Amino acid sequence: MKRIIFLVVVIAFIQNINAQNPDFTGYLRNYSGMLLGNGSTDFIILQNTFNLNIEKRFDNSAFKVNPMIYHYMSDSLYFRLREAYMDLYFDNFDIRVGKQQIVWGKADGVFITDIVSPKDLFEFLLPEFDEIRRGVIGLKLDYYIGNSTLELVWLPVFTPTNLPGENSAWAVKPSFPLPPSFAYSKQEVKASLENSELFLKYSTISENIDFELMGGYMWDDDPTLFSSVSIDSATGNTKLTIIPEHNRLTVAGGSFSMPVGPFIFRGEGAYYWGKYFNTVNPALNRGVIQKDYIHYMLGLDFTLFDIYLSTQFVQRVIMNYEDIIRPTVLFKGETNNMMTFLASYSMMNETLTLELFSYYDFEYSNALIRPRILYDYSDSINLQFGANIFTGTEGLFGQYDKNDMIYGRIIYSF
Amino acid sequence: MKTIKLAGLLILALVVSNLKVFPQEITGLQIIENVYNRPVGEDMTADLTMTLINSSGNERVRKIKQFSRDFGDVEKKIMFFVSPADVKNTSFMNWSYDEEGKDDDQWIYLPALKKTKRISSDSKGDYFMGSDFTYDDLGDRKPSDDTHKLLREEKINGEDCYVVESIPKDPDYMYSKTVTWVIKDKWIGLKKEFYDEDGVLLKILHVKDYKKINGFWIIVDTEMENVQKDHKTVMELRNIKIDTGISDSKFTERMMTRGI
């Protein structure tokens, strides 16, 4: 009987949805990636993706549901509900409630003030940027004053960074002085009022400059790896336990974008108070130290000989740096300097695009170089062929030196 | 004496013929200014369909909903892309200023990235959505940007036209010259030829249809043909509404992100 009632409810819902004629858009994508070099030609990615957007706009409200299914070569499925929200529109303000992706800032491919939605790093930084962001569950209120917006975001449920699994080619393997064991009991942040995250942003667009000012009282999306050192009573050996735990962060920052002659000059920066960094001594202060941290970017976009060019200089600085801080894939010392570079050229009435995007990290002299060809076979079908080349042997990109790959994608949009 | 009389007659004939051709001694600049200043209402809403046709006859179709309003010293336009599917909900906003030398402000909202990006108006020579129209072709080029010369009068498509040659003052501009056929009594550019930097014919714009809506002459169907690439774009405006009182709040980032 319950099944019948459930079926009736589902059928009634679908009929109701159909009667209101929501828009169904999205894409089907076949994505195959093959390793290059190191004597390997293994397929690193064999993936089919189905992305569906169900949307409906009314005069004073709207809704959107965006399920996404990844099908892998092992015949396994990975389901993501990227967004599921409702909008309410008023004269001077809008409210969005539900699971949503929130994007802030003016930087491209670098996350500085764009920290409301955490990252899904299941395939490192290789997916399209909209796939890298995770939806967050909460309420967003936008209050409009002319071309300015005051945005308040309240997230009662904390969503952390999604890291690749241990067996993934993109797994990050931090080094420890001893083989550790992990205790995950403190990693979860329970949904409660006191555990909420709050973000506030003021933004404006105008004739001469667009800018944003933001602040956040949040959880660090990446867990801090606290240490516990003890002596094993049975063997007498020193035992290291790693306890991942999320910590509160207070962040303030801003960004701008302005035309200067033929250039668009962009900048973005954020100051983080009391971010935890691991130290080289796991026995001291649980193996961590708290430091303020600055992350900023200056960028320039322009067109030269019909080629769109965009470059960014990105710097991270650990304030009041101490030598006890353990080096990571980003930091050898107190700063990390990085550049990004994009060149894009379209031809054949924008049916064929040649693109090159790259990150270069000065700290470990390592890079990710991403050439790509995109071809619109028709209005619905886009073909892509590209490569991901990791240079260097250490650092954020060099750690994946063995993952150089070529790939092909067929995308059917509807 | 006979020679003097003959010369006098020739001069008279030339004067008369000139009077016949250019009876009001209108200049090329005045004609282009009349086209530029032709009233088209204060605001407009329309559905735009662009059909891109390549040399093999294959067609690609782009659909856009657009809103524009002249606020006096600034003209604002916002476009929402309806199809194809991969650009749906993308929006583009342009603020164009009357002030001499002041560049347009332009933004694009990319729904996949959920980001409004300011883009450089220096890329006016870029082609719009893969069509044969550049951003500059779609906008109102200021008459003072070119030097204009009235070449002749000519009848095309049954309309009496002035034929005006316009040469850009900026030698680095993407066209070396344009030639426009302007309908005398309506101040509509019925046909326009675009010449590339080497002075070779590049594109021809044909106005296929125009209508009087709310008392204003509005161009509704155009075709731009790139004769060098054998590619053309047909542009059709439908559901045109003039002077409905579009508010300033339509031309904001809020509307770009919300869509239609």
Side-chain angles (χ1 to χ4, degrees), chain A residues 232-281:
Chain A
D232 191 319
S233 54
T235 62
N237 292 336
T238 305
K239 189 177 148 191
L240 175 63
T241 307
I242 300 298
I243 307 152
E245 199 174 324
H246 290 281
N247 292 282
R248 281 290 190 182
L249 271 180
T250 306
V251 184
S255 62
F256 69 89
S257 175
M258 59 190 291
V260 181
F263 303 101
I264 296 293
F265 179 45
R266 293 180 287 119
E268 185 168 338
Y271 193 95
Y272 296 67
W273 281 270
K275 186 172 171 61
Y276 281 98
F277 294 88
N278 280 107
T279 63
V280 292
N281 185 353

Side-chain angles (χ1 to χ4, degrees), chain A residues 45-340:
Chain A
I45 294 170
L46 281 176
Q47 181 192 89
N48 294 302
T49 309
F50 178 55
N51 180 42
L52 179 65
N53 292 298
I54 308 163
E55 292 173 89
K56 180 68 183 174
R57 268 281 307 277
F58 304 94
D59 286 345
N60 54 9
S61 61
F63 73 79
K64 178 180 178 182
V65 183
N66 179 200
M68 196 162 184
I69 300 168
Y70 295 83
H71 171 246
Y72 290 96
M73 53 184 151
S74 59
D75 214 20
S76 60
L77 292 175
Y78 173 38
F79 176 81
R80 293 169 71 187
L81 187 62
R82 290 209 304 176
E83 292 189 294
Y85 61 74
M86 285 184 292
D87 283 336
L88 297 172
Y89 305 136
F90 300 88
D91 282 349
N92 295 320
F93 65 97
D94 299 335
I95 293 174
R96 176 167 290 177
V97 188
K99 188 169 186 180
Q100 50 193 299
Q101 289 194 356
I102 296 171
V103 180
W104 287 2
K106 308 291 182 192
D108 291 330
V110 186
F111 303 84
I112 300 172
T113 62
D114 186 12
I115 49 174
V116 183
S117 289
K119 295 184 280 294
D120 194 334
L121 299 175
F122 69 113
E123 285 171 7
F124 186 51
L125 293 170
L126 302 186
E128 301 292 338
F129 285 114
D130 57 318
E131 287 182 72
I132 287 178
R133 285 192 190 83
R134 298 189 74 185
V136 286
I137 298 166
L139 179 145
K140 179 165 75 81
L141 186 147
D142 289 289
Y143 183 78
Y144 303 100
I145 314 141
N147 269 303
S148 300
T149 308
L150 190 62
E151 185 168 303
L152 175 71
V153 178
W154 173 55
L155 305 179
V157 182
F158 170 61
T159 309
T161 304
N162 187 31
L163 294 167
E166 276 181 27
N167 299 321
S168 164
W170 310 105
V172 179
K173 297 177 180 72
S175 61
F176 296 100
L178 296 169
S181 60
F182 285 83
Y184 293 101
S185 59
K186 291 189 174 176
Q187 190 164 356
E188 187 189 357
V189 177
K190 288 190 175 149
S192 68
L193 191 61
E194 62 183 11
N195 282 345
S196 296
E197 293 182 291
L198 273 178
F199 298 89
L200 189 66
K201 181 184 79 165
Y202 174 79
S203 64
T204 194
I205 65 168
S206 68
E207 290 179 22
N208 302 315
I209 189 167
D210 304 345
F211 68 87
E212 298 180 0
L213 297 171
M214 61 77 70
Y217 180 61
M218 58 183 285
W219 293 98
D220 194 337
D221 291 337
D222 303 319
T224 304
L225 302 178
F226 289 99
S227 304
S228 170
V229 179
S230 57
I231 304 296
D232 191 319
S233 54
T235 62
N237 292 336
T238 305
K239 189 177 148 191
L240 175 63
T241 307
I242 300 298
I243 307 152
E245 199 174 324
H246 290 281
N247 292 282
R248 281 290 190 182
L249 271 180
T250 306
V251 184
S255 62
F256 69 89
S257 175
M258 59 190 291
V260 181
F263 303 101
I264 296 293
F265 179 45
R266 293 180 287 119
E268 185 168 338
Y271 193 95
Y272 296 67
W273 281 270
K275 186 172 171 61
Y276 281 98
F277 294 88
N278 280 107
T279 63
V280 292
N281 185 353
L284 183 68
N285 194 30
R286 301 178 69 201
V288 297
I289 191 166
Q290 254 185 316
K291 293 288 177 189
D292 291 354
Y293 170 70
I294 294 175
H295 190 185
Y296 72 91
M297 173 283 299
L298 293 170
L300 209 58
D301 308 334
F302 55 104
T303 302
L304 194 66
F305 303 116
D306 294 332
I307 303 171
Y308 174 75
L309 299 164
S310 175
T311 185
Q312 301 177 121
F313 170 75
V314 186
Q315 188 173 58
R316 296 169 171 88
V317 183
I318 302 171
M319 306 298 288
N320 301 314
Y321 180 80
E322 293 180 43
D323 289 337
I324 197 172
I325 292 174
R326 194 173 71 205
T328 64
V329 290
L330 272 175
F331 289 102
K332 265 185 188 170
E334 65 180 316
T335 59
N336 171 277
N337 298 317
M338 199 179 277
M339 293 283 290
T340 73

